Amino acid sequence: MKGFKNAKVYVEGQGIVKTNIGFEDGKIAYIGDDCSNIEAIAEIDQNQVIVPGFIDQHIHGAAGSDAMDGTVKDLSNIACAVAKEGTVGFLATTMTQSPENITKAMEAVKEYKSTVREEGAEVIGIHLEGPFISTKHIGAQPLEYVAAPSVEVFAKYEEASGNNIKLVSMAPEVEGAEELVKYLSSKNIVASIGHTDATYAAIDKAIENGAKNITHTFNAQKALHHREIGTVGTALLRDELNCELICDTIHVSVPAIKLVVKSKPHNKVTLVTDAMRAKAMPDGESELGGQVVIVKNGEARLKDGTLAGSVLKMNDAVKNVVTKCGVPFTDAIDFATINPAANLGIDDKLGSIKVGKNASVTVLNGDFSVAMTVRDGNVIYKA
């Protein structure tokens, strides 16, 4: 079997140990002291560590492509780009747009997933961000396409996607949201609270109906106030809610990141990039949902200064959490691996290194750069 010999590996339940790991039929088949049956994919030096492959549940695009472009070619381009940052699976994330454009994006993912693909990260499914959001917190979402939450409308997108929608960002306080949250919960689709003016009471009701995630915590949501803790305060207070964090130290400051990590249970913090097509591209003019975006010095903003997604790479998000926020290395890895996997209900296959799980791992150098990414036993990136 192929695999790695005499390597430092972050093994589920053991921490980082020196061991051997073998892959067969796309799965992790062996972890232990005997390396006699393992054919090494690559030599691993003492400064490298093998960790579970990263999972990005909120990413719009990269390398000049966006999920809203609605083509198999663009999805493949994104998949290959994120493999370079250690990501083995992601949710192709849409945005508030016309029903026609959203439907086109749904159909592209359905087509993409209809064929087994060995290149790039896996498109696990879709994160439908909007159009069911609050007009008070649109962020970089186009106001003209904001729509009222509707089970009927969502069901059309669900059908167009081939039932590949895994997570929906929405405002739970808007009329019609209660029925949609209940519907999503009944289908095991994650209802996520985002782009919202929700109060504690509104979120309390949403949790009761099955909501369990907060979209890019702190960003585009009702702030904390001592007489109404709003979306941010409720996100920190309620242990049921998984908090997404864009850890580029632009969207969220270092003290704010520390506050979330300190406030939340270990398994309820998830790193996301919320990256747009300008990721892995030179600074300059880009595009998001038909809007001009200016990218400069690692920041992507609309012409009016509004943050328009990020150009963050997942390995850099992990690095920031460790080096700037003082989070232990393995905790930061969990935030990018097992936590999103559990949130999406795919932790039986991804998110940790354990016999029987998918052979999807990342080899990190000591400086957090990526040496190699392996998905289902196949090398999808090598530096």
Side-chain angles (χ1 to χ4, degrees), residues 5 27 48 70 113 127 163 190 254 287:
K5 297 181 180 180
K27 304 288 185 182
Q48 295 175 320
K113 287 182 66 66
H127 174 170
N163 298 311
V190 178
V254 168
E287 179 272 346

Side-chain angles (χ1 to χ4, degrees), residues 21-253:
I21 178 170
F23 307 144
E24 277 186 341
D25 300 323
K27 304 288 185 182
I28 298 171
Y30 177 78
I31 301 172
D33 296 333
D34 184 3
C35 65
S36 59
N37 293 323
I38 297 174
E39 177 188 348
I41 295 173
E43 295 298 318
I44 303 297
D45 69 40
Q46 62 181 1
N47 294 315
Q48 295 175 320
V49 59
I50 299 172
V51 300
F54 302 141
I55 300 166
D56 194 348
Q57 68 174 36
H58 191 158
I59 173 174
H60 296 271
S65 292
D66 190 292
M68 289 301 295
D69 291 340
T71 73
V72 167
K73 181 180 178 181
D74 284 294
L75 289 170
S76 179
N77 192 37
I78 297 166
C80 292
V82 300
K84 298 177 182 179
E85 59 200 61
T87 295
V88 296
F90 66 99
L91 295 187
T93 304
T94 61
M95 67 180 299
T96 301
Q97 257 292 338
S98 69
E100 294 78 16
N101 284 345
I102 293 174
T103 300
K104 182 183 177 185
M106 300 295 103
E107 292 171 344
V109 171
K110 179 182 179 180
E111 182 181 353
Y112 187 89
K113 287 182 66 66
S114 68
T115 303
V116 176
R117 300 173 187 275
E118 293 188 354
E119 78 283 357
E122 177 189 0
V123 179
I124 295 168
I126 295 165
H127 174 170
L128 191 75
E129 187 179 16
F132 312 123
I133 62 175
S134 167
T135 56
K136 294 181 180 180
H137 297 274
I138 58 170
Q141 308 273 337
L143 178 62
E144 63 188 293
Y145 296 118
V146 172
S150 165
V151 172
E152 182 181 358
V153 172
F154 175 79
K156 292 178 181 178
Y157 294 146
E158 186 180 26
E159 182 179 5
S161 76
N163 298 311
N164 280 306
I165 300 173
K166 306 299 182 186
L167 188 151
V168 179
S169 289
M170 55 180 290
E173 77 279 9
V174 179
E175 186 176 352
E178 186 173 339
E179 291 75 16
L180 182 54
V181 171
K182 288 179 180 178
Y183 178 83
L184 295 174
S185 181
S186 73
K187 295 280 190 173
N188 292 319
I189 299 168
V190 178
S192 185
I193 298 160
H195 290 274
T196 173
D197 202 47
T199 61
Y200 176 86
I203 298 175
D204 182 57
K205 186 67 176 178
I207 293 171
E208 184 181 317
N209 290 329
K212 61 185 228 177
N213 194 74
I214 298 287
T215 300
H216 45 48
T217 307
F218 290 112
N219 296 111
Q221 56 196 231
K222 190 175 185 68
L224 185 153
H225 186 276
H226 57 283
R227 284 189 291 272
E228 169 50 65
I229 65 171
T231 309
V232 171
T234 310
L236 297 175
L237 180 64
R238 295 297 293 269
D239 288 350
E240 303 97 323
L241 295 171
N242 177 69
C243 285
E244 292 183 359
L245 275 175
I246 308 170
C247 290
D248 57 1
T249 71
I250 298 164
H251 282 77
V252 186
S253 70

Side-chain angles (χ1 to χ4, degrees), residues 362-382:
T362 293
V363 182
L364 283 182
N365 296 315
D367 63 356
F368 293 87
S369 61
V370 176
M372 181 181 291
T373 309
V374 178
R375 176 176 66 81
D376 299 334
N378 297 311
V379 176
I380 57 173
Y381 171 71
K382 186 174 183 180

